[in-house]
Amino acid sequence: MNLFIPRTFMALPLRSSRGASFCGFALKCEGGVSMVQGASRGIGLQFVTQLLGKKDKGHVIATCRNPNGATSLLDLKKKFDERLSVLQLDVTNENTIEASANSIRERYGYLNLLINASGVLSKPEVLQPETTLSKVQKSSLLFAYEINAVGPILVTKHMWPLLKLGGGSGTERDVAVVANLSARVGSIGDNQLGGWYSYRSSKTALNQLTKTVAVEFARRKDPIICILLHPGTVDTDLSRPFQRNVPEGKLFTKEFSVEKLLSIIDRVKSNDNGKFFAWDGQEIPW
């Protein structure tokens, strides 16, 4: 299966009055070009599904470590062949991130939205949420940090030129958006329970890195803002081993959470740059 949009659907690049290179698809990419990193399952897959299903315009690039094994994503590709591209990207391998950026540049020319959705909470024999300091291991801390903090920032680094070219063109926003999925447990001010050292601190690192990127984009006057999103406790493979103590009514479906998060993304403004939002639109303290 060809995982890219065939070139028969492409036209020569168009050049805006600002000198930015934009793709020449039918409708001039009305609806914009969105990328979801970590799209093979869970919240990432649901982002792709809703971006395609709730809007009849716009193109989506879905990335994951193993596209050939992402059966649900490939089913979407069959249904939305002209609007969906699937690329291989491993956040622990910067070469694959750079290769994805090059492919997007060749096929689209720009981006309007980047959603970094990949993350890890536990992995057998590698990482388990630590209930006490005595269980903290260097290898677990570094593993969580690499996936949850380093990966999304490296993706943002390589997609930066594409987002700068895209801005809000083709969308109802005046800026491009980088939306990084964080977690309330990453908030230092909200930390009342302790524990979960690796996951908690890696999300805190993501928050600081994203805030720093947001400050730089603003200083450079790039047409991009960065936000952090807390999806709530969502019924996914990531949370399933730890759902027993979730209060009634606080375990959300993927569909509900992503719908809420997309509504936040759709209405953000330039002055929201660097903010940390919960699924209900409320700001979370750092």
Side-chain angles (χ1 to χ4, degrees):
M1 177 183 294
N2 181 3
L3 299 180
F4 301 113
I5 295 177
R7 290 192 176 273
T8 53
F9 293 105
M10 299 184 65
L12 292 175
L14 300 178
R15 188 163 296 274
S16 76
S17 59
R18 295 180 300 167
S21 177
F22 298 109
C23 65
F25 289 101
L27 302 180
K28 299 180 180 178
C29 289
E30 186 176 354
V33 181
S34 304
M35 173 181 168
V36 180
Q37 181 269 120
S40 62
R41 57 180 181 162
I43 292 177
L45 179 62
Q46 185 59 213
F47 267 116
V48 175
T49 301
Q50 292 197 26
L51 284 168
L52 291 168
K54 290 185 176 295
K55 300 177 181 179
D56 58 1
K57 298 172 184 175
H59 297 266
V60 179
I61 301 139
T63 73
C64 60
R65 286 181 299 172
N66 180 21
N68 291 329
T71 55
S72 296
L73 197 54
L74 295 181
D75 287 342
L76 280 176
K77 173 64 178 170
K78 294 175 184 176
K79 185 177 179 180
F80 297 97
D81 184 59
E82 296 181 23
R83 295 178 55 209
L84 175 62
S85 295
V86 182
L87 298 176
Q88 196 270 335
L89 187 155
D90 181 347
V91 296
T92 67
N93 184 339
E94 191 169 359
N95 289 335
T96 68
I97 301 172
E98 185 175 10
S100 292
N102 289 335
S103 294
I104 294 167
R105 184 178 296 106
E106 291 174 2
R107 289 166 172 76
Y108 300 93
Y110 68 99
L111 281 173
N112 305 110
L113 172 63
L114 168 61
I115 299 173
N116 280 303
S118 65
V120 62
L121 172 57
S122 65
K123 184 176 181 179
E125 309 301 324
V126 178
L127 172 64
Q128 290 295 323
E130 308 93 341
T131 56
T132 175
L133 178 62
S134 63
K135 294 184 178 181
V136 173
Q137 297 181 9
K138 177 181 177 180
S139 59
S140 297
L141 288 164
L142 294 177
F143 178 73
Y145 189 87
E146 181 177 32
I147 303 294
N148 294 337
V150 177
I153 295 306
L154 290 179
V155 173
T156 304
K157 166 189 164 183
H158 285 282
M159 303 305 158
W160 178 16
L162 298 169
L163 291 159
K164 187 175 179 178
L165 285 171
S169 62
T171 74
E172 296 181 358
R173 300 183 302 268
D174 59 353
V175 289
V177 176
V178 177
N180 289 337
L181 260 64
S182 186
R184 186 180 291 275
V185 297
S187 166
I188 296 174
D190 194 66
N191 184 359
Q192 304 297 320
L193 298 176
W196 292 37
Y197 287 82
S198 295
Y199 184 71
R200 190 186 291 276
S201 61
S202 66
K203 289 298 187 179
T204 305
L206 174 64
N207 293 353
Q208 178 68 285
L209 288 164
T210 304
K211 176 67 174 182
T212 304
V213 171
V215 170
E216 179 170 0
F217 287 171
R219 189 177 69 244
R220 292 176 178 270
K221 302 187 184 308
D222 288 344
I224 315 167
I225 66 169
C226 297
I227 60 173
L228 291 144
L229 297 173
H230 166 57
T233 302
V234 184
D235 186 12
T236 64
D237 292 341
L238 183 144
S239 69
R240 198 153 291 132
F242 313 100
Q243 293 178 3
R244 183 176 58 183
N245 297 321
V246 177
E248 185 176 355
K250 295 297 184 180
L251 180 64
F252 302 146
T253 65
K254 297 184 291 290
E255 292 80 4
F256 174 84
S257 178
V258 168
E259 183 175 4
K260 291 291 187 179
L261 298 180
L262 280 176
S263 70
I264 294 172
I265 292 171
D266 285 342
R267 66 175 184 263
V268 290
K269 306 295 183 184
S270 296
N271 60 4
D272 292 316
N273 189 32
K275 293 183 179 180
F276 184 10
F277 295 104
W279 60 272
D280 59 0
Q282 298 298 309
E283 279 195 66
I284 298 175
W286 296 108

